[in-house]
C-alpha cells in the first residue's frame, strides 16, 4: 500500500508539472508550436522553436526570440512572421492564426507549402503584407480576402491556384501591389479590376486567362506597372489603356492579341517600357510612338507588323532596347536610329528590310547587341559598330559586302560574331589574342581570303568556329588550332585549304571537325586519341594518305567519321566494330584493302560506304574468297545458261509482283528514294517490295501516326513510318526529313532514308528489337541502370537542342518514343515528326524553318521548353517505376518531401544509403525541368550538366 501511495504521488506531481508548463506557455508560442507540428522541416530551419522547461516567464513572449518571428518593442505581441526560404513544406490548417490579431506582415514565400490556402489568414484584419509566393498552394483562391481591409501587398506569384481570379481583391482600398502571376487561373480578367483606388503594381501574367482584356483597366489612374501577358486572350489591345496616366511599364506579351497597335498608347507620356511581342498584331508601328519621350524599352517582335520603322523614332533619346524582329516590316532603317544616344540593343532580324545600316550605328558608345540577320541589307558594316563594347554582332543571311572593319578586332567585349551567308571579302582582320570573351564565330558563306588567323589558339573562350564555304580562303590550318582550351566545333570545309593537319595535342574539348572538300594532304596525326570528346570528323574530298588510325576507333563518342574520296590505304581497323556510338563510317573511294570486318555495325553502313576501293572485299561488297570465273569456263557454259534463265525468270516474277502492287495501290506518281550519306543504299523498289510480301502486307502503316516493321530485300530489318503530305508541301517536307536524317547521335534513332512520291512518304529508320520505355517502365531496375537511362535520354535531347543548327525540338517526347537497342541503350524516336504531321494540315510552323531566323526564335524556344518539361515527367516516371502516372497532379497535390520519401521507398534505399543523395539530386533536376513558367526551366544542356556531375563513371 505504501508503494501504491508513492507511485500515485509521483504521477500527480508529473501531471501538475505538465499543466504548469502548458499554462505557462504564451498563446503566441503555443500557436507557433502548433503550426510547427503541421510543417515538414527537413532542414531543421525551425530548430530553435522550443519552450524551456519552465515555460514563458515574465511578460515577454518566448517566441519573440525564435527565427522568423518579430515582435513589438516590448516583446509582448507578435507583429510579423517571416518563414520565407526555409525549405518548409506541408499543408496549413490555419487554425493558429486567430491568435495573431496584431500581425501586420506574413511571409511564407520560397517554400513548398501545398493544399488549399487556409482561410484563417483572412481574419488577420491588421495585415498589411501577405506574401505566399513561390509555393504550391492549389485549388481555387478562397473567398474572404476582402476581410484584409488594411492589406497593401498581396503576392501569390508562382503557385498552382486554379479557377477564376478572385474578384474580392478589388474591394481592398489600400492595396498597392497585386501579384497573382504564374498559376493556373482561368477565365477573363474581372472588369472589377478597373476599380482599384490605390493600386500601383498588377501582375497577372503566366496563367490560363482568356476572354477580352477589359477596357475598364484603363481607369487604373494610379498603376505604374502592369503585366498581364503570357495568357491567351481574344481581340485586340484596348485603346482605353492609354488613359492609365501614371503607367511606366506595360507588358502584354505572348497573349494571342490581334489587330493593330492603338496609336492612342502614345498618350502614355510616362511610359518607359512597352512589351507586346509574340502576339498576332498587324498593321504598321504607330508613328506617334516617337512622342513617348521616356520610352527606354520597346519590344514588338514576333507579330505580323508591316511597313517601315517610323522616322519619328529618332526622337526617342532614352531608347535602350528596340526589338522589331520576326515581323513582316520593310523599308530602310532610318539614319536617326544610329544616332540614338542610349541605344544598347537593336534587333530587327527576319524582316524584309533593305538598304544600308545607319553609318553612325555604334558611335554612341552604348551599343551592346545587334541582330539584323535574315533581311536584305546591302553595303558595308558600319565602321564604328563596335566602338562602345559590342557583345553580340549578328548579321547573317544578308547581302553585306566589302571588307570586315578592323575595328571589330579591337572589340574586346565581343562574345558572338555571326556574319555568315553574305558577300564579305578580303582578309579576316580578327586578332583572337585581343578577343578574350569570344565564344562563337561564324564567317561561313562569304568571299574571305588570306587564310585562317594564325592566333586562333589564343582565343581562350572560343567554342564554335566556322569558316566553311569561302572558296578563296586558302592557307593552312594554324599549328596550334586544337589547343584552343574550350574549342568544340571547328568547321572549315570548301575553303581550298592545303597542307597537313596540325598535331592533335590538347584537343580534349574538340567535338566536331569538318574539313571536307579542301586540298589537305599527309596522314592523320598521331595522338588523335587525345580528342576524347570527338563526335564527328569529316575529312572527305581531300588528299590524305596513310592508314586509318586505330586510335579513332577508341574514341568513346565518335558517331560520324567520313574519310571518303581520299588516298587512304591499308585495312579498316576492326576496333570500330566495338564502338557503341558509331552511326556513320564512310571510307569510299580510297585505296583501302583487305576484308570488311564482319561486325554488324559495318554491314549496316551499306555498300556505298565502301565502294571505290578495288582491293576491299567482304559484306556488303563482293565476297573475299577467290573462285574460278564460272562464266569463262568451257565446261560450265550450260550452267551459265541455266543461271541466266533463272535470273530472267526472277526479274519477270518481281516485275509481275510490282505490277500487281502498283495496280492495287493506285499510281500516285513516280517513287523516289533518298538514302542518307554513309548508310545502306536502298532503292524505292526495295521499300515497296518489302510491303508486297505476305507477312509484311498487314504491317503497312495505315495512318501517319503508325509505324511498322519491314524486311528489305537486302535482309535488313527496318521500321517504316508513313507520312501523307500535300503535293505543294512535298519540297518543304523532304528538306525537313533530310535535316532530320543528318542528326546523328548514339541516343537518337538513326534515320536511314525515305521513299516518296507526290502524296506519300515512307520514312525508314533502324529497327530496335527491345521495345520501348512505356512497355518496360514497371520493370525493377537498380539505381545505376536508372541513372544511365536518364543520362541517355538527356544526351539525346541535348544533342537535338544544342548541337543541331538550328535546334530541333523533339515535339512528342513520351515513353513510347524511347526505344531500346540490343544493349538496352535508350534511343529517342519520332523526333521532329510532329512538324511533319503539321505539314499534312497545310501549316508551316516556325519551328521547322529550314533557314535559321536569328538568335532568338521564340517558337522554337517554346517547343524546347516543352521538351524539357516532358523530360522532367519521364524522369519522375523512371524514379517511381511508372507509379507516378500524373506527374503534374502529384507534384501539385503532394509536398516534394513526401514524393521523395516515396521514391526512396520505391528504390529500396535505407536512410544511410549513399545513393539517396544522388536520387534526390536527380529528383530535384526533374522538378526544375517541370517548373510552371517555361523561362524558369533549365535548358537541356544545363540539365545534363547537373545530372552528369553526379557520377563520372557513366559514359
Amino acid at each position: 500500500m505504501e508503494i501504491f501511495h508513492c507511485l500515485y504521488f509521483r504521477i500527480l506531481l508529473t501531471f501538475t508539472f505538465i499543466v504548469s508548463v502548458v499554462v505557462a506557455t504564451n498563446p503566441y508560442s503555443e500557436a507557433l508550436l502548433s503550426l510547427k507540428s503541421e510543417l515538414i522541416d527537413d532542414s531543421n530551419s525551425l530548430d530553435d522553436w522550443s519552450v524551456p522547461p519552465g515555460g514563458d516567464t515574465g511578460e515577454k513572449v518566448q517566441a519573440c526570440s525564435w527565427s522568423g518571428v518579430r515582435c513589438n518593442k516590448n516583446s509582448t505581441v507578435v507583429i510579423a512572421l517571416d518563414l520565407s526560404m526555409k525549405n518548409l513544406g506541408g499543408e496549413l490548417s490555419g487554425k493558429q492564426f486567430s491568435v495573431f490579431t496584431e500581425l501586420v506582415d506574413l511571409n511564407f514565400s520560397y517554400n513548398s507549402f501545398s493544399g488549399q490556402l487556409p482561410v484563417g489568414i483572412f481574419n488577420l484584419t491588421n495585415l498589411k503584407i501577405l506574401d505566399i509566393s513561390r509555393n504550391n498552394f492549389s485549388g481555387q483562391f478562397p473567398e474572404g480576402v476582402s476581410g484584409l481591409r488594411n492589406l497593401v501587398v498581396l503576392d501569390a506569384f508562382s503557385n498552382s491556384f486554379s479557377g477564376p481570379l478572385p474578384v474580392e481583391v478589388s474591394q481592398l482600398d489600400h492595396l498597392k501591389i497585386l501579384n497573382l502571376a504564374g498559376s493556373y487561373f482561368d477565365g477573363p480578367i474581372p472588369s472589377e479590376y478597373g476599380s482599384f483606388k490605390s493600386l500601383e503594381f498588377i501582375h497577372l501574367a503566366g496563367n490560363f486567362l482568356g476572354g477580352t482584356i477589359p477596357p475598364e483597366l484603363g481607369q487604373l489612374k494610379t498603376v505604374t506597372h502592369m503585366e498581364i501577358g503570357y495568357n491567351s486572350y481574344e481581340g485586340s489591345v484596348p485603346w482605353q489603356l492609354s488613359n492609365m496616366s501614371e503607367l511606366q511599364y506595360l507588358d502584354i506579351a505572348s497573349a494571342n492579341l490581334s489587330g493593330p497597335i492603338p496609336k492612342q498608347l502614345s498618350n502614355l507620356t510616362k511610359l518607359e517600357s512597352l512589351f507586346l511581342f509574340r502576339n498576332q498584331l498587324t498593321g504598321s508601328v504607330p508613328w506617334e510612338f516617337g512622342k513617348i519621350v521616356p520610352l527606354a524599352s520597346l519590344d514588338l517582335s514576333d507579330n505580323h507588323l508591316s511597313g517601315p520603322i517610323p522616322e519619328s523614332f529618332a526622337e526617342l533619346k532614352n531608347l535602350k532596347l528596340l526589338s522589331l524582329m520576326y515581323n513582316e516590316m520593310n523599308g530602310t532603317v532610318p539614319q536617326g536610329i544610329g544616332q540614338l544616344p542610349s541605344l544598347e540593343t537593336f534587333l530587327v532580324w527576319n524582316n524584309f528590310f533593305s538598304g544600308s545600316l545607319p553609318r553612325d550605328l555604334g558611335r554612341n558608345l552604348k551599343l551592346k547587341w545587334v541582330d539584323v540577320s535574315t533581311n536584305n541589307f546591302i553595303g558595308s558594316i558600319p565602321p564604328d559598330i563596335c566602338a562602345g563594347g559590342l557583345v553580340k554582332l549578328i548579321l547573317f543571311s544578308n547581302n553585306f559586302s566589302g571588307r570586315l572593319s578592323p575595328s571589330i578586332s579591337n572589340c574586346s567585349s565581343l562574345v558572338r560574331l555571326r556574319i555568315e551567308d553574305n558577300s564579305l571579302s578580303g582578309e579576316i582582320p580578327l586578332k583572337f589574342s585581343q578577343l578574350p570573351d569570344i565564344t562563337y564565330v561564324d564567317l561561313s558563306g562569304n568571299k574571305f581570303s588570306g587564310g585562317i588567323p594564325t592566333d586562333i589558339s589564343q582565343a581562350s573562350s572560343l567554342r564554335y568556329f566556322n569558316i566553311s564555304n569561302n572558296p578563296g580562303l586558302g592557307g593552312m590550318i594554324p599549328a596550334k588550332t586544337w589547343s584552343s582550351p574550350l574549342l568544340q566545333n571547328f568547321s572549315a570545309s570548301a575553303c581550298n585549304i592545303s597542307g597537313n593537319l596540325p598535331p592533335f595535342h590538347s584537343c580534349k574539348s574538340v567535338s566536331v571537325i569538318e574539313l571536307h572538300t579542301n586540298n589537305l594532304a599527309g596522314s592523320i596525326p598521331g595522338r588523335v586519341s587525345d580528342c576524347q570528346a570527338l563526335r564527328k570528323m569529316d575529312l572527305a574530298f581531300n588528299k590524305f594518305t596513310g592508314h586509318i588510325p586505330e586510335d579513332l576507333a577508341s574514341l568513346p563518342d565518335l558517331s560520324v567519321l567520313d574519310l571518303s574520296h581520299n588516298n587512304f590505304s591499308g585495312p579498316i581497323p576492326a576496333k570500330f566494330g566495338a564502338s557503341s556510338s558509331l552511326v556513320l563510317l564512310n571510307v569510299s573511294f580510297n585505296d583501302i584493302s583487305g576484308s570488311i570486318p564482319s561486325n554488324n555495325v559495318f554491314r549496316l553502313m551499306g555498300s556505298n560506304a565502301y565502294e571505290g576501293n578495288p582491293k576491299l572485299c567482304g559484306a556488303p561488297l563482293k565476297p573475299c574468297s577467290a573462285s574460278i570465273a564460272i562464266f569463262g569456263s568451257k565446261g560450265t557454259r550450260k550452267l551459265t545458261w541455266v543461271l541466266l534463265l533463272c535470273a530472267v525468270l526472277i526479274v519477270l516474277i518481281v516485275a509481275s509482283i510490282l505490277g500487281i502492287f502498283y495496280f492495287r495501290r493506285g499510281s500516285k506518281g513516280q517513287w523516289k528514294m533518298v538514302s542518307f550519306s554513309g548508310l545502306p543504299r536502298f532503292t524505292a523498289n526495295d521499300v515497296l517490295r518489302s510491303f508486297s510480301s505476305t507477312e509484311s502486307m498487314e504491317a503497312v502503316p495505315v495512318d501517319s501516326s503508325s509505324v511498322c516493321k519491314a524486311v528489305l530485300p537486302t535482309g535488313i530489318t527496318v521500321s517504316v513510318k508513313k507520312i501523307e503530305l500535300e503535293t505543294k508541301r512535298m519540297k518543304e517536307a523532304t528538306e525537313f526529313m533530310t535535316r532530320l536524317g543528318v542528326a546523328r547521335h548514339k541516343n537518337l534513332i538513326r534515320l536511314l532514308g525515305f521513299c516518296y512520291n507526290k502524296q506519300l512518304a515512307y520514312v525508314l529508320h533502324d529497327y530496335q528489337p527491345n521495345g520501348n520505355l512505356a512497355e518496360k517502365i514497371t520493370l525493377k531496375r537498380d539505381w545505376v541502370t536508372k541513372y544511365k537511362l536518364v543520362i541517355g535520354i538527356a544526351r539525346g535531347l541535348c544533342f537535338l537542342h544544342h548541337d543541331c543548327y538550328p535546334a530541333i525540338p523533339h515535339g512528342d517526347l513520351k515513353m513510347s518514343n524511347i526505344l531500346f537497342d540490343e544493349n538496352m541503350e535508350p534511343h529517342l524516336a519520332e523526333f521532329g515528326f510532329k512538324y511533319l504531321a503539321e505539314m499534312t494540315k497545310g501549316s508551316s510552323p516556325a519551328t521547322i524553318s529550314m533557314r535559321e531566323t536569328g538568335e532568338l526564335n521564340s517558337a522554337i524556344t517554346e517547343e524546347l521548353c516543352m521538351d524539357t518539361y516532358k523530360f522532367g515527367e519521364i524522369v519522375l516516371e523512371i524514379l517511381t517505376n511508372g507509379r507516378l502516372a500524373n506527374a503534374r497532379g502529384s507534384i501539385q497535390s503532394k509536398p516534394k518531401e513526401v514524393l521523395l520519401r516515396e521514391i526512396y521507398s520505391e528504390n529500396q534505399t535505407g536512410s544511410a544509403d549513399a545513393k539517396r543523395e544522388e536520387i534526390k539530386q536527380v529528383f530535384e533536376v526533374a522538378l526544375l525541368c517541370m517548373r510552371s513558367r517555361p523561362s524558369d526551366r533549365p535548358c537541356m544542356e544545363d540539365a545534363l550538366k547537373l545530372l552528369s556531375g553526379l557520377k563520372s563513371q557513366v559514359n
Side-chain angles (χ1 to χ4, degrees):
M1 180 67 79
E2 186 177 344
I3 295 174
F4 174 77
H5 281 298
C6 184
L7 182 61
Y8 174 79
F9 177 75
R10 287 183 179 179
I11 294 172
L12 182 62
L13 185 64
T14 302
F15 178 76
T16 305
F17 174 75
I18 293 172
V19 171
S20 66
V21 170
V22 172
V23 171
T25 302
N26 185 279
Y28 292 116
S29 302
E30 186 178 352
L32 290 174
L33 290 175
S34 173
L35 176 63
K36 179 182 177 180
S37 69
E38 296 180 354
L39 304 181
I40 298 172
D41 184 11
D42 289 342
S43 301
N44 292 320
S45 300
L46 305 181
D47 194 43
D48 63 335
W49 282 28
S50 61
V51 177
D56 278 358
T57 57
E59 296 181 358
K60 293 186 178 181
V61 177
Q62 176 70 30
C64 292
S65 63
W66 296 351
S67 58
V69 180
R70 182 161 57 90
C71 297
N72 60 359
K73 291 181 180 180
N74 300 324
S75 296
T76 56
V77 177
V78 176
I79 60 173
L81 183 59
D82 184 358
L83 301 183
S84 62
M85 292 185 287
K86 293 189 181 297
N87 195 30
L88 302 172
E91 297 188 17
L92 305 177
S93 67
K95 62 185 180 182
Q96 306 87 354
F97 293 122
S98 59
V99 175
F100 300 95
T101 56
E102 302 300 319
L103 203 68
V104 295
D105 187 347
L106 180 59
N107 191 340
F108 287 155
S109 64
Y110 289 93
N111 284 293
S112 300
F113 295 122
S114 58
Q116 291 275 343
L117 181 67
V119 294
I121 291 177
F122 299 153
N123 295 322
L124 304 175
T125 55
N126 286 306
L127 204 62
K128 292 184 177 180
I129 299 174
L130 175 59
D131 190 347
I132 56 171
S133 62
R134 292 175 172 86
N135 279 285
N136 202 25
F137 290 113
S138 59
Q140 292 197 10
F141 198 90
E143 296 180 359
V145 68
S146 58
L148 302 177
R149 55 181 178 270
N150 292 304
L151 200 64
V152 176
V153 175
L154 174 56
D155 191 347
F157 173 76
S158 189
N159 277 278
S160 298
F161 291 115
S162 57
L165 291 169
V167 177
E168 272 187 277
V169 294
S170 61
Q171 301 173 29
L172 301 175
D173 292 342
H174 301 288
L175 195 67
K176 291 185 177 181
I177 295 176
L178 175 62
N179 192 342
L180 299 175
S183 281
Y184 302 97
F185 289 113
D186 55 28
I189 298 175
S191 59
E192 290 87 348
Y193 277 25
S195 63
F196 286 104
K197 296 179 180 179
S198 306
L199 199 65
E200 297 175 1
F201 179 101
I202 180 170
H203 190 2
L204 307 175
N207 283 289
F208 292 151
L209 301 178
T212 59
I213 297 175
E216 288 83 358
L217 294 182
Q219 300 170 17
L220 297 173
K221 303 292 186 180
T222 56
V223 169
T224 61
H225 185 114
M226 183 162 76
E227 294 182 64
I228 57 175
Y230 293 93
N231 286 292
S232 187
Y233 302 116
E234 300 170 3
S236 58
V237 180
W239 66 264
Q240 289 87 349
L241 299 184
S242 62
N243 294 323
M244 301 174 68
S245 53
E246 297 297 317
L247 197 62
Q248 299 173 16
Y249 188 104
L250 177 59
D251 185 345
I252 325 180
S254 192
N256 197 41
L257 296 170
S258 58
I261 300 173
K263 63 182 180 180
Q264 292 92 335
L265 294 183
S266 61
N267 295 331
L268 300 173
T269 55
K270 295 184 180 181
L271 194 65
E272 297 175 1
S273 299
L274 176 59
F275 299 107
L276 296 174
F277 60 86
R278 206 178 305 161
N279 281 291
Q280 310 293 327
L281 300 172
T282 55
S284 59
V285 178
W287 182 91
E288 290 80 3
F289 277 13
K291 298 187 295 184
I292 310 176
V293 177
L295 197 61
S297 298
L298 178 62
D299 193 340
L300 307 177
S301 60
D302 204 350
N303 279 288
H304 300 291
L305 299 173
S306 56
I309 300 174
E311 293 278 352
S312 62
F313 276 21
E315 303 301 319
L316 298 175
K317 305 302 182 185
N318 294 298
L319 196 63
K320 295 180 180 180
L321 164 68
L322 177 58
S323 180
L324 303 171
M325 61 190 185
Y326 213 57
N327 277 289
E328 298 161 21
M329 299 179 69
N330 55 27
T332 59
V333 177
Q335 289 296 317
I337 297 294
Q339 298 169 7
L340 292 175
S342 303
L343 191 63
E344 297 176 359
T345 303
F346 181 59
L347 309 176
V348 296
W349 57 262
N350 198 23
N351 280 284
F352 300 99
F353 292 115
S354 57
S356 301
L357 289 178
R359 189 158 182 81
D360 293 335
L361 194 63
R363 286 183 183 173
N364 62 14
L365 305 182
K366 298 282 184 67
L367 199 62
K368 303 297 180 187
W369 184 0
V370 174
D371 189 342
V372 301
S373 58
T374 320
N375 279 285
N376 298 308
F377 288 113
I378 60 173
S380 59
I381 299 171
D384 298 318
I385 198 165
C386 282
L390 199 67
V391 174
K392 294 183 181 181
L393 179 58
I394 316 295
L395 310 176
F396 66 83
S397 297
N398 281 287
N399 295 305
F400 290 112
S401 58
R403 293 177 176 269
L404 196 59
S405 172
S407 67
I408 293 179
S409 297
N410 301 322
C411 195
S412 60
S413 58
L414 200 61
V415 172
R416 290 177 77 85
L417 175 63
R418 299 195 57 183
I419 55 176
E420 69 265 29
D421 192 16
N422 280 288
S423 298
L424 296 163
S425 58
E427 293 188 4
I428 299 170
L430 298 179
K431 296 178 182 178
F432 285 105
S433 58
Q434 299 177 20
L435 300 171
D437 298 325
I438 196 79
T439 63
Y440 193 108
V441 175
D442 196 336
L443 312 176
S444 62
N446 281 286
K447 300 176 181 178
F448 288 115
S449 58
I452 299 170
T454 56
D455 67 342
I456 186 173
S457 61
Q458 297 183 42
S460 57
S461 301
L462 186 64
R463 289 173 169 80
Y464 182 97
F465 180 79
N466 190 349
I467 191 69
S468 299
N469 298 309
N470 281 274
L473 184 68
M476 304 171 64
I477 299 174
K480 297 182 179 180
T481 296
W482 314 129
S483 64
S484 182
L486 299 178
L487 185 65
Q488 297 175 6
N489 188 305
F490 182 86
S491 300
S493 300
C495 287
N496 199 28
I497 297 173
S498 57
N500 300 331
L501 281 177
F504 286 108
H505 298 305
S506 305
C507 62
K508 293 182 179 179
S509 64
V510 178
S511 61
V512 175
I513 298 175
E514 295 176 321
L515 292 168
H516 68 79
T517 320
N518 282 294
N519 292 308
L520 294 164
S523 60
I524 297 177
R527 294 188 61 176
V528 70
S529 59
D530 286 358
C531 307
Q532 288 290 297
L534 195 63
R535 291 187 293 99
K536 178 180 181 180
M537 176 181 275
D538 187 351
L539 305 179
F541 291 94
N542 279 286
K543 300 175 181 177
F544 288 107
T545 57
H547 289 194
I548 300 172
E550 283 197 355
D551 283 354
L552 281 171
S554 66
L555 297 177
D557 293 321
L558 187 66
S559 59
V560 176
L561 178 62
D562 194 339
L563 306 176
S564 62
H565 295 272
N566 279 285
N567 297 310
F568 288 107
S569 57
I572 299 173
K575 283 186 178 180
F576 280 118
S579 172
S580 62
S581 59
L582 195 65
V583 294
L584 189 152
L585 172 67
N586 193 343
V587 297
S588 60
F589 296 97
N590 279 280
D591 193 25
I592 305 296
S593 57
S595 63
I596 299 171
S598 58
N599 305 65
N600 190 47
V601 67
F602 294 101
R603 185 174 65 86
L604 288 175
M605 299 301 164
S607 59
N608 60 324
Y610 309 106
E611 62 186 349
N613 292 283
K615 302 175 187 176
L616 191 63
C617 60
L621 299 181
K622 62 185 179 183
C624 288
S625 56
S627 58
I628 300 173
I630 291 178
F631 294 104
S633 170
K634 291 181 180 179
T636 56
R637 285 181 180 174
K638 290 184 179 179
L639 178 60
T640 301
W641 282 108
V642 170
L643 291 174
L644 286 174
L645 285 171
C646 289
V648 171
L649 228 98
I650 290 171
V651 169
L652 289 173
I653 292 171
V654 169
S656 300
I657 291 173
L658 287 176
I660 294 169
F661 174 72
Y662 278 111
F663 177 77
R664 287 182 176 178
R665 293 178 65 88
S667 177
K668 296 182 179 178
Q670 185 177 3
W671 288 90
K672 298 179 182 178
M673 184 72 206
V674 175
S675 294
F676 298 124
S677 175
L679 296 174
R681 179 173 291 176
F682 309 122
T683 66
N685 285 342
D686 289 335
V687 180
L688 299 174
R689 284 166 58 195
S690 71
F691 294 152
S692 66
S693 64
T694 305
E695 56 270 24
S696 293
M697 277 299 289
E698 296 300 319
V700 178
V702 295
D703 59 60
S704 59
S705 63
S706 58
V707 177
C708 76
K709 182 176 78 170
V711 180
L712 299 180
T714 56
I716 295 177
T717 302
V718 298
S719 291
V720 183
K721 184 178 180 70
K722 176 182 175 184
I723 306 289
E724 296 182 3
L725 296 169
E726 295 183 3
T727 303
K728 63 181 180 180
R729 314 292 298 187
M730 185 59 70
K731 182 177 184 296
E732 188 177 0
T734 55
E735 287 178 349
F736 184 59
M737 284 188 281
T738 302
R739 181 176 151 204
L740 297 180
V742 299
R744 303 286 171 78
H745 188 271
K746 68 177 182 180
N747 294 114
L748 297 181
I749 286 293
R750 183 176 65 164
L751 268 64
L752 306 176
F754 58 93
C755 167
Y756 69 100
N757 64 8
K758 292 181 179 180
Q759 297 179 20
L760 293 174
Y762 292 110
V763 183
L764 282 64
H765 55 78
D766 279 335
Y767 173 71
Q768 299 298 345
N770 282 325
N772 60 61
L773 181 58
E775 299 168 347
K776 302 180 183 296
I777 189 62
T778 57
L779 294 180
K780 293 288 185 181
R781 296 179 174 88
D782 59 63
W783 170 241
V784 173
T785 302
K786 284 186 177 183
Y787 178 74
K788 287 183 177 180
L789 174 57
V790 170
I791 286 289
I793 298 168
R795 283 176 173 168
L797 265 187
C798 186
F799 178 82
L800 289 173
H801 288 195
H802 299 282
D803 293 311
C804 296
Y805 300 99
I808 300 176
H810 187 289
D812 192 20
L813 188 64
K814 55 187 178 183
M815 289 193 293
S816 60
N817 282 336
I818 299 171
L819 310 183
F820 294 104
D821 63 14
E822 60 275 5
N823 299 316
M824 296 306 292
E825 181 79 18
H827 297 258
L828 304 187
E830 302 276 313
F831 55 91
F833 278 35
K834 168 186 174 182
Y835 312 115
L836 283 175
E838 289 182 10
M839 284 184 184
T840 66
K841 303 171 186 176
S843 60
S844 180
T847 44
I848 64 168
S849 173
M850 291 298 296
R851 195 177 183 197
E852 190 175 355
T853 54
E855 290 287 293
L856 297 172
N857 189 317
S858 57
I860 289 182
T861 301
E862 286 184 0
E863 294 291 340
L864 299 181
C865 287
M866 181 52 66
D867 279 356
T868 304
Y869 185 91
K870 294 293 186 182
F871 171 73
E873 286 188 321
I874 289 172
V875 171
L876 290 184
E877 293 264 16
I878 293 170
L879 290 176
T880 61
N881 297 324
R883 296 185 187 277
L884 201 61
N886 180 9
R888 173 184 284 187
S890 297
I891 290 173
Q892 290 177 4
S893 61
K894 295 182 181 180
K896 68 178 184 181
E897 291 79 8
V898 175
L899 282 174
L900 192 55
R901 283 197 290 268
E902 292 177 1
I903 290 172
Y904 288 151
S905 175
E906 194 69 39
N907 289 275
Q908 299 179 342
T909 59
S911 58
D913 199 325
K915 64 188 177 186
R916 281 173 70 98
E917 185 59 31
E918 294 173 0
I919 292 173
K920 181 179 179 182
Q921 291 187 49
V922 172
F923 174 69
E924 294 284 356
V925 172
L927 294 187
L928 286 175
C929 293
M930 293 181 63
R931 283 178 169 172
S932 57
R933 288 175 63 90
S935 59
D936 291 339
R937 299 169 197 161
C939 66
M940 280 309 304
E941 187 173 42
D942 289 341
L944 181 58
K945 286 178 181 176
L946 292 171
L947 292 168
S948 300
L950 303 183
K951 284 189 175 182
S952 58
Q953 72 267 27
V954 177
N955 294 323

